[in-house]
Amino acid sequence: MFTFANPQSSTAQAQIALALRVGLGLVFIAGGIAKLERLLTPMKAKGIVDQYVGPLGYINQTFLDWLFASPLGMVLTPWNFLTVLSAFELISGVMLVIGLMVRPLSALWALLLWSFVVSLPVVTTPGVALTAKTYQSPAEFIQIRDIALSGFFFVLYNLGSGARSMDAGRYLMPETLGRDWEPMGLLLRVSLGAVFLVGGLFAGYDNIITFGAPGWLLAIIGLGLIAGVGERWFATAACAVLLWFMLTKLLAATGVIAFFNGVKREFALLAAAGAIAAFGGGSLFTLGKIQAALAGWRATYFGGRAEPARSGHRPTA
């Protein structure tokens, strides 16, 4: 019989926070280095700028106008905007890994990641003949991993800086805040489960991430995580899928930077899956809890009615 550490304990929560902040930090270190390497190389700079502001980039026309055609455009150009953002990503990643200013960075990135969702150029209108290739799935599905990362950051914000952090070791801040694991476990497993559920249900559609796995497998893992039924086993299966995906990327990689950039979000997903596999995902809104609540509701409203009086007997006052 396997035994697991109690996720309500400060030791367990410090380890979960450590795993999440390192996984999330690696996302930004890998992404920041990959973008800066191209932006700071004259022969590559124009290519990455065109990539970001083109139809298959990550900035829609509304945000392009707001950033560069408004008064902001007097100081912003696509190149310096991307360079500053990429440098901030890299610095944030390093700070997260070493555990410096973890909670402020978590709050900031939990909200900032949603800008990557709303700024994506997407066309999903039926019957529209596109003159240029662009994204043709809902932005929430294409960017489901960034939405999950936002959820992980909210969990990290509520956990604290975690074990082996500079915040705790040098600045004497608590490793954990001692908060209830139940809502944090729910957010962690639902955030991770949503990635697999979307990948499974919409496998084959435009720009939907599937990790090279069958859609039915991803859907089962996602449903299991969200339902909270055997979520440790489903999280273990998620780890296996992610590790296989990362291995295939490694075998096909053209360089170290390209490899790490190609699997950057998977570091955070793997950290979250590992945390759930080790410590569980809480018991809030699990299928068992929902069934118990429904049974209690039926007992309250249907099982507690007074029986009709028998013949020959009068009800007492």
Side-chain angles (χ1 to χ4, degrees):
M1 183 72 178
F2 291 107
T3 57
F4 300 92
N6 178 9
Q8 299 286 9
S9 71
S10 58
T11 301
Q13 292 192 10
Q15 295 300 318
I16 296 170
L18 170 62
L20 288 178
R21 80 163 202 265
V22 171
L24 289 163
L26 290 175
V27 174
F28 294 125
I29 291 174
I33 290 175
K35 287 194 282 289
L36 285 173
E37 186 271 335
R38 295 177 64 187
L39 287 163
L40 298 178
T41 303
M43 295 181 64
K44 299 180 180 180
K46 184 178 185 304
I48 187 172
V49 170
D50 291 345
Q51 176 187 336
Y52 267 79
V53 301
L56 277 175
Y58 302 99
I59 308 175
N60 59 39
Q61 192 61 49
T62 298
F63 276 81
L64 285 175
D65 291 343
W66 183 73
L67 288 169
F68 309 121
S70 69
L72 285 173
M74 297 176 64
V75 294
L76 282 182
T77 66
W79 181 86
N80 61 33
F81 170 74
L82 291 174
T83 302
V84 170
L85 180 60
S86 301
F88 180 60
E89 283 187 42
L90 177 57
I91 293 169
S92 296
V94 172
M95 291 174 68
L96 285 168
V97 169
I98 66 177
L100 179 62
M101 296 182 65
V102 172
R103 296 193 71 223
L105 284 172
S106 297
L108 176 63
W109 278 107
L111 300 174
L112 189 57
L113 280 162
W114 280 92
S115 69
F116 301 157
V117 180
V118 299
S119 66
L120 193 74
V122 171
V123 177
T124 59
T125 305
V128 171
L130 301 178
T131 58
K133 182 172 175 56
T134 188
Y135 299 101
Q136 299 180 58
S137 294
E140 295 82 1
F141 292 174
I142 297 172
Q143 300 286 62
I144 188 62
R145 289 177 298 171
D146 284 344
I147 294 173
L149 298 190
S150 174
F152 301 166
F153 269 120
F154 278 120
V155 173
L156 183 58
Y157 175 82
N158 283 283
L159 281 171
S161 59
R164 301 180 182 88
S165 67
M166 283 191 66
D167 285 343
R170 185 175 180 85
Y171 298 106
L172 304 180
M173 299 176 68
E175 289 186 346
T176 62
L177 303 178
R179 293 180 177 173
D180 185 8
W181 170 247
E182 292 297 307
M184 291 185 285
L186 170 64
L187 179 56
L188 193 65
R189 76 167 199 266
V190 169
S191 297
L192 180 64
V195 175
F196 285 84
L197 188 61
V198 168
L201 296 181
F202 295 90
Y205 286 85
D206 183 57
N207 287 100
I208 301 299
I209 184 69
T210 62
F211 308 112
W216 61 265
L217 176 61
L218 298 182
I220 290 173
I221 293 173
L223 284 171
L225 287 167
I226 292 172
V229 179
E231 75 275 10
R232 285 191 171 108
W233 295 109
F234 286 113
T236 302
C239 287
V241 169
L242 293 167
L243 287 171
W244 173 254
F245 174 72
M246 295 171 80
L247 177 60
T248 60
K249 286 286 190 178
L250 176 62
L251 296 176
T254 57
V256 175
I257 293 177
F259 165 69
F260 280 100
N261 189 52
V263 298
K264 59 186 179 184
R265 293 177 180 85
E266 281 64 45
F267 286 114
L269 298 176
L270 190 60
I276 295 171
F279 300 102
S283 60
L284 284 180
F285 292 99
T286 61
L287 187 60
K289 286 274 189 177
I290 293 173
Q291 289 175 334
L294 289 174
W297 182 79
R298 286 196 298 269
T300 299
Y301 290 99
F302 296 102
R305 290 179 177 176
E307 296 183 1
R310 295 180 181 178
S311 177
H313 294 275
R314 294 182 179 178
T316 57

